[in-house]
Amino acid sequence: MTSEEKKLLQAKHRLEEAQARDRVKERKARTRRLIQEGAVLEKVLPEVQAVGLDNLEEYLRRKLTAHD
């Protein structure tokens, strides 16, 4: 393997590592956002805690439709 090939391989690995770090950062940001949105939802509509996760979407649709 020539030094030029080694440099290309190293650059490829650095790029892959940077992309992996970006994916982790994006996933953590999404997780944080979802937790915060869930907390706001529970604060505004405390009754959603009693609604099962399977029924939450339908409950919210009915609640929002009835509100209009």
Side-chain angles (χ1 to χ4, degrees), residues 27-50:
R27 188 181 75 243
K28 287 184 177 186
R30 179 178 185 269
T31 299
R32 178 178 170 82
R33 179 181 53 80
L34 291 173
I35 290 169
Q36 290 174 331
E37 289 173 354
V40 169
L41 177 63
E42 287 183 353
K43 184 177 179 181
V44 172
L45 294 171
E47 64 270 20
V48 298
Q49 294 177 18

Side-chain angles (χ1 to χ4, degrees), residues 2-68:
T2 68
S3 68
E4 199 56 35
E5 289 173 331
K6 287 180 184 179
K7 287 180 182 179
L8 285 173
L9 187 59
Q10 287 175 340
K12 179 183 174 189
H13 287 155
R14 280 194 297 274
L15 177 61
E16 290 171 352
E17 288 174 1
Q19 290 171 337
R21 282 191 303 272
D22 288 344
R23 284 192 301 272
V24 168
K25 188 176 179 180
E26 288 171 5
R27 188 181 75 243
K28 287 184 177 186
R30 179 178 185 269
T31 299
R32 178 178 170 82
R33 179 181 53 80
L34 291 173
I35 290 169
Q36 290 174 331
E37 289 173 354
V40 169
L41 177 63
E42 287 183 353
K43 184 177 179 181
V44 172
L45 294 171
E47 64 270 20
V48 298
Q49 294 177 18
V51 176
L53 188 58
D54 296 337
N55 302 324
L56 182 59
E57 183 178 353
E58 179 59 32
Y59 174 80
L60 291 173
R61 287 185 190 280
R62 279 187 277 123
K63 189 84 168 168
L64 292 172
T65 303
H67 188 273
D68 290 340

